[in-house]
Amino acid sequence: MNAKQIAGRKRLPADFLPVAVLLLVAALALLWGLGRGSLAAWDEAIYAQVSKEVARGGDWLTLHWEYRPWFEKPPLFMWVTALFYRLFGVGEFWARAPSALSGVALVWVTYLVGKRAYGGRVGVLAGAVLLTCYHFLSFSRFGTTDVMLTLFASLALYAYLRLSDGGGRWWYPAWSSCALALMVKGAGALVAPAAIALALALDGRTGDALRSKHFRRGALLALLIVAPWHALMYAWHGRAFVDEYFGYHVFARATRTLEGHPSGYLYFAGKLLDGFFPWCLLVPSAAVSEVRRWRRGESRAKVLLLFGALVFGVYTLIPTRRPWYIVPLYPALAVLVARFAVGLYGKYQTRPAHGRALAAACAVLFVVGALYSFVSLRLSREPEAPVARLARLARSTGPGDREPLLLLSETETLYAQVPLFYSDRPARQTYAASPPPAVEDAERYVSYQNLSEVTRTSPRRVILRREAIAGLSADYDVRVLAEDGPLAYATVARRPAFSR
């Protein structure tokens, strides 16, 4: 190759190597050991089971949990998981892979947002800040919808920032990303288009957007993505779909505390201190700095401020609060913190001692963030649960083997989500003397039958606490098949009245 040919070759971007390193580290951090430990009760095990029933039952439109229609969420996350199941088999790794791969992609999108708004250095630094965010890492390795939602919301914000480049053509990815976010988590995705609408209004560009053919066609594209599934569910299931999908999981969550998890208005402030440590220490200064730039007309990413304020404000006002609700906030905060750090360094760059001190302080924050995230992940990592191991022993032998697996709860509830996934049997909660206190608003997942009724005709497979066995021996024949930690797996049959 001669000198002219070498000179004519297209050079790689200057930040190609650091971005490649970021993505490699993200892949290792989010995919390594992803299949360790059993699925967690409630959401992770529920989504994994819904996806399994999609993959095995072939009904890709009406989602099911325990083979009954399930309308809690839109289907996109479960479709992706079911596709992985079909290709690679059902297991913990592939139940979590859609979230983890979304996390890897989100690091790249965060870099793109930062680069577009403030330059390549901010983009790389923002991706690195996100990678040392404990909550981002934790929820990326958890098989739920929030990181995929965040990925599409961040793509919508990036497309909005690119509008000045493409003569309005970036409205297509902006609208379609909003639509895909909505197909992941329903009403939770509305904060992205709300932030874009506010940014348009504050810039005085709403009229221009509405007159743009690309805006209108992008909106039509979004409607074509979102409307068919929702219309079909309403046509097929009517009031049952509306009551669960909108009534319970949108309006009820927005107006009252559900499922017994009350919290105060400072709940998410505390979660930011934990989930975004130590970068949370820079958030107030970064936000004030960006607001000042906005007032001077110098801000190139006010949509990030608006998006962050909406996510934090809306979910603070909603009575039902969960730590994963503010996951979409972290990429925007990472960009704002990176912009603040780079701006501060540029301000003092002419003073070598100050510049070195700032660079050292930033390096310390990265080390602290990485160590805090690593230790927090290690401490929060759960080993395989005894109930999952025992449920595997009770595993169904085939489609015709549908005998329920009973879960005996007395003082402490044994939930059905994990045993259902691992046993492939219907899971039924039972009690011997009296049921544990009910969990408010969770009838689908927490309901009880009397043990004497369900064991009257024949022995049943039961998972129970070992200390409960002695109390059953007077009225039931209990044959222990296996023990694991505090639990036992046994067959239980009610004795005839004359033998008691």
Side-chain angles (χ1 to χ4, degrees):
M1 184 179 292
N2 58 39
K4 185 176 180 180
Q5 289 174 314
I6 293 174
R9 291 180 64 184
K10 187 176 181 180
R11 292 184 178 180
L12 291 173
D15 48 9
F16 173 81
L17 183 59
V19 172
V21 171
L22 271 180
L23 294 178
L24 178 60
V25 172
L28 289 172
L30 300 182
L31 297 174
W32 186 270
L34 189 63
R36 293 176 186 164
S38 52
L39 298 175
W42 293 90
D43 288 358
E44 188 179 44
I46 290 169
Y47 296 163
Q49 177 66 24
V50 171
S51 303
K52 182 166 71 172
E53 294 184 23
V54 170
R56 292 185 174 177
D59 191 342
W60 289 72
L61 293 175
T62 300
L63 303 179
H64 291 78
W65 184 79
E66 207 175 27
Y67 301 94
R68 292 176 294 165
W70 183 86
F71 304 123
E72 289 190 13
K73 294 290 183 291
L76 185 55
F77 182 88
M78 273 60 73
W79 284 347
V80 175
T81 308
L83 181 61
F84 282 144
Y85 285 170
R86 283 280 185 95
L87 293 174
F88 307 110
V90 175
E92 293 89 348
F93 184 95
W94 296 111
R96 295 165 178 154
S99 181
L101 292 173
S102 295
V104 176
L106 186 57
V107 171
W108 178 61
V109 172
T110 302
Y111 152 75
L112 290 178
V113 170
K115 180 178 181 180
R116 175 61 191 167
Y118 301 113
R121 184 179 295 181
V122 170
V124 171
L125 189 62
V129 168
L130 188 63
L131 263 180
T132 55
C133 169
Y134 161 52
H135 271 180
F136 163 72
L137 295 170
S138 176
F139 288 115
S140 292
R141 294 176 60 87
F142 196 63
T144 52
T145 58
D146 299 277
V147 176
M148 185 181 285
L149 162 70
T150 306
L151 171 63
F152 288 125
S154 300
L155 277 170
L157 299 181
Y158 173 68
Y160 176 77
L161 292 173
R162 292 297 304 267
L163 278 170
S164 59
D165 289 351
R169 295 185 184 277
W170 281 93
W171 278 120
Y172 298 109
W175 272 110
S176 58
S177 295
C178 289
L180 291 171
L182 198 145
M183 289 299 291
V184 171
K185 202 167 181 179
L190 295 178
V191 286
I196 291 172
L198 277 174
L200 285 172
L202 291 171
D203 286 339
R205 297 165 50 201
T206 303
D208 293 339
L210 292 174
R211 286 189 292 271
S212 168
K213 65 179 181 180
H214 301 299
F215 179 91
R216 297 193 300 271
R217 291 173 181 174
L220 178 60
L221 174 62
L223 187 64
L224 291 175
I225 292 171
V226 170
W229 181 81
H230 288 83
L232 281 174
M233 291 303 99
Y234 179 71
W236 290 348
H237 303 286
R239 185 65 181 268
F241 171 70
V242 172
D243 286 349
E244 185 171 350
Y245 186 81
F246 293 106
Y248 182 78
H249 289 283
V250 177
F251 297 113
R253 287 185 183 276
T255 55
R256 59 188 175 92
T257 301
L258 297 182
E259 296 161 9
H261 292 278
S263 55
Y265 286 109
L266 295 178
Y267 177 82
F268 287 120
K271 292 303 175 184
L272 277 178
L273 288 174
D274 174 37
F276 201 53
F277 184 82
W279 303 107
C280 58
L281 303 176
L282 299 183
V283 167
S285 297
V288 169
S289 173
E290 194 62 27
V291 168
R292 287 174 177 169
R293 291 171 60 85
W294 183 352
R295 294 179 65 181
R296 295 196 302 266
E298 299 173 0
S299 175
R300 287 178 282 171
K302 62 173 65 74
V303 71
L304 297 180
L305 272 176
L306 294 169
F307 180 76
L310 278 174
V311 170
F312 190 83
V314 167
Y315 287 120
T316 293
L317 293 175
I318 288 175
T320 301
R321 302 181 184 98
R322 299 289 186 273
W324 50 86
Y325 285 4
I326 59 166
V327 169
L329 185 59
Y330 294 123
L333 289 183
V335 173
L336 294 175
V337 165
R339 167 65 187 89
F340 177 71
V342 170
L344 205 60
Y345 180 79
K347 183 178 179 181
Y348 292 102
Q349 198 169 13
T350 56
R351 304 176 187 178
H354 291 77
R356 286 194 294 269
L358 283 170
C362 193
V364 169
L365 289 175
F366 272 114
V367 172
V368 171
L371 288 175
Y372 181 80
S373 298
F374 176 77
V375 171
S376 298
L377 286 171
R378 293 283 293 183
L379 292 176
S380 63
R381 187 172 70 186
E382 297 286 343
E384 187 174 33
V387 70
R389 288 193 289 265
L390 293 176
R392 281 198 184 97
L393 296 178
R395 191 176 184 86
S396 170
T397 58
D401 183 8
R402 302 294 297 159
E403 178 190 326
L405 174 64
L406 306 183
L407 308 168
L408 180 65
S409 298
E410 293 293 323
T411 58
E412 188 174 348
T413 300
L414 288 176
Y415 293 112
Q417 296 90 339
V418 172
L420 172 64
F421 179 83
Y422 287 103
S423 71
D424 273 340
R425 295 181 179 279
R428 301 285 183 263
Q429 292 169 301
T430 63
Y431 65 93
S434 60
V439 177
E440 184 185 4
D441 304 314
E443 292 87 355
R444 174 190 281 273
Y445 303 114
V446 183
S447 60
Y448 297 95
Q449 298 171 286
N450 192 297
L451 181 65
S452 64
E453 295 297 325
V454 293
T455 59
R456 185 181 300 277
T457 58
S458 62
R460 297 294 186 184
R461 306 167 191 265
V462 181
I463 293 177
L464 69 165
R465 298 193 177 278
R466 291 166 62 181
E467 66 264 22
I469 295 174
L472 295 178
S473 58
D475 298 316
Y476 298 88
D477 288 319
V478 181
R479 186 165 70 93
V480 175
L481 303 176
E483 295 181 346
D484 195 324
L487 302 180
Y489 168 48
T491 58
V492 177
R494 183 170 176 80
R495 291 176 179 168
F498 65 81
S499 66
R500 282 183 263 156

